[in-house]
Amino acid sequence: FYRGQELPAVNMQYRHYVRWENQYRQSPDFSTQREYWVKQLGTLETPLELPLDFPRPDAADFSGRTFNARIGETTTAGLKTLARENRASLNMLLLAIYNVLLCKISGKISDQDDICVGIPANVRGYDGLDQSLGMFTNTLVIRSRPEPGLTFPDFLNHVKITCLEALSNQEYPYEELAKELGNAGDGFAGMSRNPLFDVVFVYENGN
């Protein structure tokens, strides 16, 4: 089943991670990360407004459709070159492009240059968890400002710095932020929106 290879022994279980997380919540670093996120997201007022096909329901039911598109090899090679020239990862570059797209789409109904996007982050920071089974994922809220007049390389650098700062504070649970800041601004109130962000960007490395 494993091509004749023996799997390495797993010394750490999910319960070890839970115990570590409970201890971490009492640490100064946990408070420092909370301060970062409150400063980063505490001034949110208006959620992202995108054109809708139907009126927004009173409570989100997550119904919808899937649209698939494929990026060709030539475009992919160009994206990799652009990322390398700007000393950014392909993930950061695509996130920046995604933000510009959201800004363009939202501009049809409102002038928004303050956009929040949720991204998943691996939080296996505790030593020995690399081979352990379990959901070691947190959601980070990346807030960007594709302001008019800003060149794309400058905006990409802004997204890159924001991502690096967020990853440096990735252990603070999104659930705690949602409880504390989820209704920041009247636009986030109610059951029809997700706390702090309404769109998600997921980059999966096929390699």
Side-chain angles (χ1 to χ4, degrees):
F1 186 72
Y2 296 110
R3 299 179 181 177
Q5 301 177 359
E6 291 186 7
L7 295 177
V10 178
N11 298 319
M12 294 293 178
Q13 304 294 336
Y14 195 79
R15 66 177 184 273
H16 297 110
Y17 170 76
V18 173
R19 183 169 60 188
W20 169 82
E21 185 179 35
N22 289 334
Q23 294 173 348
Y24 181 73
R25 286 171 178 262
Q26 309 303 318
S27 69
D29 188 52
F30 187 79
S31 298
T32 300
Q33 292 202 18
R34 176 191 172 277
E35 292 174 1
Y36 165 80
W37 288 110
V38 170
K39 181 179 180 180
Q40 184 76 0
L41 304 173
T43 56
L44 283 178
E45 295 182 358
T46 306
L48 181 64
E49 294 289 353
L50 298 175
L52 303 176
D53 293 326
F54 307 98
R56 183 180 294 277
D58 294 333
D61 59 10
F62 304 104
S63 61
R65 298 175 61 185
T66 299
F67 175 79
N68 296 313
R70 184 179 180 85
I71 299 177
E73 293 183 1
T74 301
T75 302
T76 301
L79 290 170
K80 291 180 178 179
T81 299
L82 183 60
R84 185 168 58 253
E85 291 175 347
N86 287 273
R87 304 182 68 178
S89 68
L90 187 57
N91 184 9
M92 294 173 181
L93 172 62
L94 292 174
L95 177 59
I97 294 173
Y98 185 55
N99 272 279
V100 172
L101 173 64
L102 293 174
C103 182
K104 292 286 187 180
I105 296 175
S106 67
K108 295 180 180 180
I109 57 175
S110 62
D111 295 325
Q112 287 187 271
D113 56 10
D114 188 357
I115 297 175
C116 286
V117 176
I119 65 170
N122 183 357
V123 290
R124 293 175 182 260
Y126 186 70
D127 292 340
L129 289 175
D130 290 345
Q131 304 298 325
S132 299
L133 295 175
M135 187 65 175
F136 302 95
T137 303
N138 190 22
T139 301
L140 308 182
V141 184
I142 305 300
R143 185 179 186 182
S144 65
R145 297 174 175 83
E147 300 172 352
L150 195 65
T151 66
F152 182 76
D154 287 339
F155 177 62
L156 174 56
N157 187 60
H158 161 69
V159 171
K160 178 175 69 173
I161 292 174
T162 303
C163 285
L164 292 175
E165 290 177 349
L167 290 170
S168 296
N169 294 275
Q170 66 180 7
E171 284 83 13
Y172 194 81
Y174 165 73
E175 291 77 10
E176 296 296 325
L177 277 177
K179 292 176 184 177
E180 186 170 355
L181 303 176
N183 290 327
D186 294 337
F188 290 94
M191 298 292 292
S192 64
R193 290 190 178 273
N194 198 59
L196 302 176
F197 64 91
D198 278 324
V199 293
V200 174
F201 178 82
V202 180
Y203 175 83
E204 296 183 359
N205 190 340
N207 296 325

